Amino acid sequence: TKQDINILQIDVEGNDFDVLFGAGSVLDSTHYLEFEYAWDKNLHIQDAVKLLDGKGFTCYWSGENRLWRISGCYFDHYNFFHVWSNVACVHRSQKKLYDRMEKVFTDLLEEW
């Protein structure tokens, strides 16, 4: 039987994309996912977000009490964003958590 995974946190010192792209069916049963994005000229955050969007996730840059949605709000300059950052993704089937994360994002937009 398929077991749901409430939280999957990936932190493998710069190899997060390797794990993410190899996770396959594990992502299908995951509700919430966090991973580190470290800039790499060959791997772009857009690639990960596209994979995760296809699996039903919405992803956000994650900071201290702040979320900035990446899914559906992608900017080309993210390809040249030469830092590391945490990325938080919620499966859209998790309506309550998705709504909470969207509220944090929209509240941030209102501050601007």
Side-chain angles (χ1 to χ4, degrees):
T1 52
K2 181 178 133 186
Q3 292 287 327
D4 286 344
I5 300 168
N6 293 322
I7 299 171
L8 177 60
Q9 187 171 16
I10 302 170
D11 185 0
V12 288
E13 303 307 318
N15 296 301
D16 296 43
F17 273 28
D18 293 335
V19 172
L20 191 60
F21 282 93
S25 63
V26 170
L27 295 174
D28 295 333
S29 58
T30 300
H31 298 167
Y32 176 84
L33 164 72
E34 280 187 14
F35 64 95
E36 273 188 357
Y37 169 71
W39 183 80
D40 182 310
K41 66 182 177 181
N42 298 314
L43 298 170
H44 299 137
I45 189 67
Q46 181 179 15
D47 300 327
V49 170
K50 185 176 180 180
L51 167 80
L52 292 166
D53 183 57
K55 293 203 170 271
F57 286 91
T58 297
C59 296
Y60 305 83
W61 295 117
S62 177
E64 191 173 318
N65 298 317
R66 296 179 186 265
L67 294 171
W68 183 267
R69 188 169 4 104
I70 307 169
S71 300
C73 297
Y74 191 80
F75 297 100
D76 286 336
H77 71 267
Y78 290 165
N79 291 334
F80 308 101
F81 195 54
H82 295 200
V83 297
W84 67 268
S85 180
N86 290 324
V87 178
C89 305
V90 60
H91 197 277
R92 291 183 289 273
S93 68
Q94 303 304 303
K95 179 95 171 101
K96 194 173 190 178
L97 180 56
Y98 171 79
D99 288 346
R100 289 174 81 190
M101 291 175 75
E102 264 307 286
K103 175 133 178 48
V104 171
F105 169 62
T106 56
D107 286 352
L108 177 62
L109 290 177
E110 289 176 12
E111 287 179 25
W112 285 33

mmCIF file with all atom_site columns, all heavy atoms in Angstrom, residues 98-108:
data_model
loop_
_atom_site.group_PDB
_atom_site.id
_atom_site.type_symbol
_atom_site.label_atom_id
_atom_site.label_alt_id
_atom_site.label_comp_id
_atom_site.label_asym_id
_atom_site.label_entity_id
_atom_site.label_seq_id
_atom_site.pdbx_PDB_ins_code
_atom_site.Cartn_x
_atom_site.Cartn_y
_atom_site.Cartn_z
_atom_site.occupancy
_atom_site.B_iso_or_equiv
_atom_site.pdbx_formal_charge
_atom_site.auth_seq_id
_atom_site.auth_comp_id
_atom_site.auth_asym_id
_atom_site.auth_atom_id
_atom_site.pdbx_PDB_model_num
ATOM 1  N N   . TYR A 1 98  ? -2.077 24.754 1.650  1.00 0.00 ? 98  TYR A N   1
ATOM 2  C CA  . TYR A 1 98  ? -1.905 25.576 0.445  1.00 0.00 ? 98  TYR A CA  1
ATOM 3  C C   . TYR A 1 98  ? -2.488 26.974 0.671  1.00 0.00 ? 98  TYR A C   1
ATOM 4  O O   . TYR A 1 98  ? -1.836 27.985 0.371  1.00 0.00 ? 98  TYR A O   1
ATOM 5  C CB  . TYR A 1 98  ? -2.570 24.908 -0.763 1.00 0.00 ? 98  TYR A CB  1
ATOM 6  C CG  . TYR A 1 98  ? -2.608 25.795 -1.976 1.00 0.00 ? 98  TYR A CG  1
ATOM 7  C CD1 . TYR A 1 98  ? -1.478 25.964 -2.769 1.00 0.00 ? 98  TYR A CD1 1
ATOM 8  C CD2 . TYR A 1 98  ? -3.766 26.494 -2.314 1.00 0.00 ? 98  TYR A CD2 1
ATOM 9  C CE1 . TYR A 1 98  ? -1.506 26.800 -3.882 1.00 0.00 ? 98  TYR A CE1 1
ATOM 10 C CE2 . TYR A 1 98  ? -3.794 27.336 -3.421 1.00 0.00 ? 98  TYR A CE2 1
ATOM 11 C CZ  . TYR A 1 98  ? -2.665 27.482 -4.190 1.00 0.00 ? 98  TYR A CZ  1
ATOM 12 O OH  . TYR A 1 98  ? -2.690 28.318 -5.279 1.00 0.00 ? 98  TYR A OH  1
ATOM 13 N N   . ASP A 1 99  ? -3.696 27.034 1.222  1.00 0.00 ? 99  ASP A N   1
ATOM 14 C CA  . ASP A 1 99  ? -4.336 28.331 1.476  1.00 0.00 ? 99  ASP A CA  1
ATOM 15 C C   . ASP A 1 99  ? -3.523 29.175 2.461  1.00 0.00 ? 99  ASP A C   1
ATOM 16 O O   . ASP A 1 99  ? -3.393 30.392 2.287  1.00 0.00 ? 99  ASP A O   1
ATOM 17 C CB  . ASP A 1 99  ? -5.766 28.145 1.999  1.00 0.00 ? 99  ASP A CB  1
ATOM 18 C CG  . ASP A 1 99  ? -6.729 27.652 0.926  1.00 0.00 ? 99  ASP A CG  1
ATOM 19 O OD1 . ASP A 1 99  ? -6.394 27.703 -0.281 1.00 0.00 ? 99  ASP A OD1 1
ATOM 20 O OD2 . ASP A 1 99  ? -7.830 27.203 1.299  1.00 0.00 ? 99  ASP A OD2 1
ATOM 21 N N   . ARG A 1 100 ? -2.961 28.531 3.481  1.00 0.00 ? 100 ARG A N   1
ATOM 22 C CA  . ARG A 1 100 ? -2.152 29.268 4.461  1.00 0.00 ? 100 ARG A CA  1
ATOM 23 C C   . ARG A 1 100 ? -0.895 29.835 3.814  1.00 0.00 ? 100 ARG A C   1
ATOM 24 O O   . ARG A 1 100 ? -0.505 30.975 4.065  1.00 0.00 ? 100 ARG A O   1
ATOM 25 C CB  . ARG A 1 100 ? -1.775 28.370 5.638  1.00 0.00 ? 100 ARG A CB  1
ATOM 26 C CG  . ARG A 1 100 ? -2.971 28.046 6.525  1.00 0.00 ? 100 ARG A CG  1
ATOM 27 C CD  . ARG A 1 100 ? -2.618 27.053 7.587  1.00 0.00 ? 100 ARG A CD  1
ATOM 28 N NE  . ARG A 1 100 ? -1.963 27.726 8.690  1.00 0.00 ? 100 ARG A NE  1
ATOM 29 C CZ  . ARG A 1 100 ? -1.372 27.087 9.690  1.00 0.00 ? 100 ARG A CZ  1
ATOM 30 N NH1 . ARG A 1 100 ? -1.358 25.775 9.717  1.00 0.00 ? 100 ARG A NH1 1
ATOM 31 N NH2 . ARG A 1 100 ? -0.814 27.752 10.667 1.00 0.00 ? 100 ARG A NH2 1
ATOM 32 N N   . MET A 1 101 ? -0.254 29.026 2.983  1.00 0.00 ? 101 MET A N   1
ATOM 33 C CA  . MET A 1 101 ? 0.970  29.479 2.322  1.00 0.00 ? 101 MET A CA  1
ATOM 34 C C   . MET A 1 101 ? 0.667  30.591 1.320  1.00 0.00 ? 101 MET A C   1
ATOM 35 O O   . MET A 1 101 ? 1.415  31.570 1.230  1.00 0.00 ? 101 MET A O   1
ATOM 36 C CB  . MET A 1 101 ? 1.689  28.298 1.676  1.00 0.00 ? 101 MET A CB  1
ATOM 37 C CG  . MET A 1 101 ? 2.261  27.344 2.724  1.00 0.00 ? 101 MET A CG  1
ATOM 38 S SD  . MET A 1 101 ? 3.007  25.849 2.054  1.00 0.00 ? 101 MET A SD  1
ATOM 39 C CE  . MET A 1 101 ? 4.559  26.502 1.410  1.00 0.00 ? 101 MET A CE  1
ATOM 40 N N   . GLU A 1 102 ? -0.424 30.469 0.598  1.00 0.00 ? 102 GLU A N   1
ATOM 41 C CA  . GLU A 1 102 ? -0.820 31.526 -0.346 1.00 0.00 ? 102 GLU A CA  1
ATOM 42 C C   . GLU A 1 102 ? -1.111 32.825 0.399  1.00 0.00 ? 102 GLU A C   1
ATOM 43 O O   . GLU A 1 102 ? -0.787 33.911 -0.081 1.00 0.00 ? 102 GLU A O   1
ATOM 44 C CB  . GLU A 1 102 ? -2.060 31.118 -1.133 1.00 0.00 ? 102 GLU A CB  1
ATOM 45 C CG  . GLU A 1 102 ? -1.821 30.513 -2.483 1.00 0.00 ? 102 GLU A CG  1
ATOM 46 C CD  . GLU A 1 102 ? -0.953 31.307 -3.440 1.00 0.00 ? 102 GLU A CD  1
ATOM 47 O OE1 . GLU A 1 102 ? -1.405 32.327 -3.998 1.00 0.00 ? 102 GLU A OE1 1
ATOM 48 O OE2 . GLU A 1 102 ? 0.187  30.891 -3.657 1.00 0.00 ? 102 GLU A OE2 1
ATOM 49 N N   . LYS A 1 103 ? -1.707 32.730 1.577  1.00 0.00 ? 103 LYS A N   1
ATOM 50 C CA  . LYS A 1 103 ? -2.009 33.926 2.373  1.00 0.00 ? 103 LYS A CA  1
ATOM 51 C C   . LYS A 1 103 ? -0.722 34.625 2.799  1.00 0.00 ? 103 LYS A C   1
ATOM 52 O O   . LYS A 1 103 ? -0.632 35.856 2.742  1.00 0.00 ? 103 LYS A O   1
ATOM 53 C CB  . LYS A 1 103 ? -2.852 33.571 3.594  1.00 0.00 ? 103 LYS A CB  1
ATOM 54 C CG  . LYS A 1 103 ? -3.096 34.762 4.519  1.00 0.00 ? 103 LYS A CG  1
ATOM 55 C CD  . LYS A 1 103 ? -4.497 34.902 4.930  1.00 0.00 ? 103 LYS A CD  1
ATOM 56 C CE  . LYS A 1 103 ? -4.772 36.038 5.877  1.00 0.00 ? 103 LYS A CE  1
ATOM 57 N NZ  . LYS A 1 103 ? -4.219 37.325 5.546  1.00 0.00 ? 103 LYS A NZ  1
ATOM 58 N N   . VAL A 1 104 ? 0.277  33.856 3.214  1.00 0.00 ? 104 VAL A N   1
ATOM 59 C CA  . VAL A 1 104 ? 1.567  34.463 3.577  1.00 0.00 ? 104 VAL A CA  1
ATOM 60 C C   . VAL A 1 104 ? 2.145  35.190 2.371  1.00 0.00 ? 104 VAL A C   1
ATOM 61 O O   . VAL A 1 104 ? 2.646  36.311 2.485  1.00 0.00 ? 104 VAL A O   1
ATOM 62 C CB  . VAL A 1 104 ? 2.547  33.385 4.107  1.00 0.00 ? 104 VAL A CB  1
ATOM 63 C CG1 . VAL A 1 104 ? 3.947  33.956 4.275  1.00 0.00 ? 104 VAL A CG1 1
ATOM 64 C CG2 . VAL A 1 104 ? 2.041  32.797 5.417  1.00 0.00 ? 104 VAL A CG2 1
ATOM 65 N N   . PHE A 1 105 ? 2.036  34.576 1.198  1.00 0.00 ? 105 PHE A N   1
ATOM 66 C CA  . PHE A 1 105 ? 2.533  35.202 -0.030 1.00 0.00 ? 105 PHE A CA  1
ATOM 67 C C   . PHE A 1 105 ? 1.750  36.466 -0.373 1.00 0.00 ? 105 PHE A C   1
ATOM 68 O O   . PHE A 1 105 ? 2.341  37.525 -0.625 1.00 0.00 ? 105 PHE A O   1
ATOM 69 C CB  . PHE A 1 105 ? 2.473  34.199 -1.188 1.00 0.00 ? 105 PHE A CB  1
ATOM 70 C CG  . PHE A 1 105 ? 2.719  34.807 -2.539 1.00 0.00 ? 105 PHE A CG  1
ATOM 71 C CD1 . PHE A 1 105 ? 3.928  35.418 -2.841 1.00 0.00 ? 105 PHE A CD1 1
ATOM 72 C CD2 . PHE A 1 105 ? 1.744  34.771 -3.515 1.00 0.00 ? 105 PHE A CD2 1
ATOM 73 C CE1 . PHE A 1 105 ? 4.152  35.984 -4.091 1.00 0.00 ? 105 PHE A CE1 1
ATOM 74 C CE2 . PHE A 1 105 ? 1.962  35.325 -4.768 1.00 0.00 ? 105 PHE A CE2 1
ATOM 75 C CZ  . PHE A 1 105 ? 3.166  35.930 -5.054 1.00 0.00 ? 105 PHE A CZ  1
ATOM 76 N N   . THR A 1 106 ? 0.432  36.406 -0.374 1.00 0.00 ? 106 THR A N   1
ATOM 77 C CA  . THR A 1 106 ? -0.365 37.578 -0.756 1.00 0.00 ? 106 THR A CA  1
ATOM 78 C C   . THR A 1 106 ? -0.236 38.703 0.271  1.00 0.00 ? 106 THR A C   1
ATOM 79 O O   . THR A 1 106 ? -0.269 39.881 -0.099 1.00 0.00 ? 106 THR A O   1
ATOM 80 C CB  . THR A 1 106 ? -1.850 37.217 -0.997 1.00 0.00 ? 106 THR A CB  1
ATOM 81 O OG1 . THR A 1 106 ? -2.384 36.582 0.162  1.00 0.00 ? 106 THR A OG1 1
ATOM 82 C CG2 . THR A 1 106 ? -1.990 36.302 -2.208 1.00 0.00 ? 106 THR A CG2 1
ATOM 83 N N   . ASP A 1 107 ? -0.063 38.349 1.544  1.00 0.00 ? 107 ASP A N   1
ATOM 84 C CA  . ASP A 1 107 ? 0.186  39.380 2.561  1.00 0.00 ? 107 ASP A CA  1
ATOM 85 C C   . ASP A 1 107 ? 1.498  40.115 2.270  1.00 0.00 ? 107 ASP A C   1
ATOM 86 O O   . ASP A 1 107 ? 1.592  41.332 2.447  1.00 0.00 ? 107 ASP A O   1
ATOM 87 C CB  . ASP A 1 107 ? 0.222  38.783 3.967  1.00 0.00 ? 107 ASP A CB  1
ATOM 88 C CG  . ASP A 1 107 ? -1.157 38.394 4.485  1.00 0.00 ? 107 ASP A CG  1
ATOM 89 O OD1 . ASP A 1 107 ? -2.173 38.727 3.832  1.00 0.00 ? 107 ASP A OD1 1
ATOM 90 O OD2 . ASP A 1 107 ? -1.211 37.726 5.547  1.00 0.00 ? 107 ASP A OD2 1
ATOM 91 N N   . LEU A 1 108 ? 2.500  39.372 1.807  1.00 0.00 ? 108 LEU A N   1
ATOM 92 C CA  . LEU A 1 108 ? 3.782  39.988 1.453  1.00 0.00 ? 108 LEU A CA  1
ATOM 93 C C   . LEU A 1 108 ? 3.589  40.938 0.280  1.00 0.00 ? 108 LEU A C   1
ATOM 94 O O   . LEU A 1 108 ? 4.136  42.055 0.280  1.00 0.00 ? 108 LEU A O   1
ATOM 95 C CB  . LEU A 1 108 ? 4.800  38.907 1.102  1.00 0.00 ? 108 LEU A CB  1
ATOM 96 C CG  . LEU A 1 108 ? 6.177  39.390 0.628  1.00 0.00 ? 108 LEU A CG  1
ATOM 97 C CD1 . LEU A 1 108 ? 6.876  40.200 1.716  1.00 0.00 ? 108 LEU A CD1 1
ATOM 98 C CD2 . LEU A 1 108 ? 7.023  38.216 0.207  1.00 0.00 ? 108 LEU A CD2 1
#
